[in-house]
Amino acid sequence: DSGVTQTPKHLITATGQRVTLRCSPRSGDLSVYWYQQSLDQGLQFLIQYYNGEERAKGNILERFSAQQFPDLHSELNLSSLELGDSALYFCASSVEREYSEQYFGPGTRLTVT
Amino acid sequence: GQNIDQPTEMTATEGAIVQINCTYQTSGFNGLFWYQQHAGEAPTFLSYNVLDGLEEKGRFSSFLSRSKGYSYLLLKELQMKDSASYLCAVMDSNYQLIWGAGTKLIIKP
């Protein structure tokens, strides 16, 4: 158990819908990262927050957005969902902004039908 | 552009030794990470190298040569539970992690 929690574990929804994925980092960690992993693909970095502020953006679509709240939990919002958005979405956290290993949550498996 | 190369798949025998290579070309270098990921599960941290040389941690060792842009992960006394994907990731000059596509390691009895 990494100490990072993600909800829900599974999500099935239809095309065109909007969903919100939630992540709580390990106690004391200030950085939160979001990743997308499609079937048999590598990790695609989406976005990073550090202590409430956006730190870095990766390959995140305009239909996707995220935020980190004062209690440091984070939410990833996915809208106008397409079949290709079906994937595992991981959240990770680290204690510092740099030089720190990331601890991953168990992921949310999103299926868009 | 930034690039990390790893073999897509490797096969090894239980009890043997396997070396998984990773070469990288990134804008700057602030360390290299290895992660293990079992199918359908979250990646878990294995090792971190920022200086040249070998870091040993039990059955796993990781080596780094910054001048060659090269690292390897060495797994000894392979066990069936080592069947997983192994991800190489490099932290660039902006402290962003650039991830390789991963190497799927298959262990045969």
Side-chain angles (χ1 to χ4, degrees):
Chain A
D1 184 357
S2 66
V4 178
T5 61
Q6 288 186 249
T7 55
K9 196 167 184 177
H10 300 278
L11 198 50
I12 301 174
T13 189
T15 54
Q17 295 299 305
R18 171 190 169 97
V19 297
T20 298
L21 312 184
R22 182 188 169 100
C23 167
S24 292
R26 293 188 319 158
S27 176
D29 284 0
L30 299 179
S31 272
V32 169
Y33 310 79
W34 285 99
Y35 292 91
Q36 180 193 55
Q37 188 173 40
S38 301
L39 192 62
D40 293 332
Q41 299 294 311
L43 282 171
Q44 295 295 319
F45 168 67
L46 297 178
I47 198 164
Q48 177 200 355
Y49 282 84
Y50 176 79
N51 203 21
E53 300 291 326
E54 183 183 303
R55 169 74 176 90
K57 256 185 177 178
N59 300 321
I60 188 166
L61 300 172
E62 285 192 12
R63 300 184 284 110
F64 296 0
S65 65
Q67 53 183 326
Q68 186 179 30
F69 295 87
D71 66 353
L72 300 178
H73 91 271
S74 178
E75 291 181 357
L76 179 68
N77 300 297
L78 315 175
S79 61
S80 302
L81 285 168
E82 303 175 358
L83 295 177
D85 298 326
S86 295
L88 256 176
Y89 290 84
F90 288 109
C91 166
S93 72
S94 66
V95 61
E96 296 174 356
R97 206 175 59 182
E98 297 108 13
Y99 295 116
S100 300
E101 64 265 32
Q102 296 177 18
Y103 293 87
F104 284 77
T108 293
R109 183 172 292 282
L110 174 67
T111 302
V112 182
T113 61
Chain B
Q2 309 207 88
N3 195 50
I4 296 183
D5 286 316
Q6 305 179 235
T8 303
E9 187 175 295
M10 298 182 70
T11 302
T13 304
E14 190 178 15
I17 299 174
V18 70
Q19 177 175 311
I20 301 174
N21 295 326
C22 170
T23 57
Y24 62 88
Q25 288 180 306
T26 55
S27 53
F29 178 84
N30 281 304
L32 185 144
F33 295 80
W34 283 96
Y35 282 79
Q36 180 190 59
Q37 185 179 25
H38 287 97
E41 298 183 9
T44 54
F45 169 75
L46 288 178
S47 68
Y48 171 68
N49 295 68
V50 67
L51 300 176
D52 289 353
L54 188 68
E55 295 277 344
E56 297 186 76
K57 195 185 289 186
R59 295 189 298 113
F60 293 5
S61 303
S62 55
F63 171 84
L64 175 67
S65 168
R66 289 172 297 172
S67 62
K68 295 182 179 178
Y70 167 71
S71 173
Y72 68 72
L73 181 69
L74 191 71
L75 291 73
K76 303 176 186 176
E77 300 168 15
L78 286 170
Q79 303 175 9
M80 297 303 292
K81 68 178 182 179
D82 297 330
S83 291
S85 287
Y86 292 85
L87 311 177
C88 172
V90 173
M91 189 165 279
D92 69 9
S93 57
N94 292 320
Y95 301 103
Q96 295 308 307
L97 267 184
I98 311 300
W99 292 84
T103 298
K104 183 177 181 179
L105 177 63
I106 300 169
I107 310 296
K108 295 186 174 179

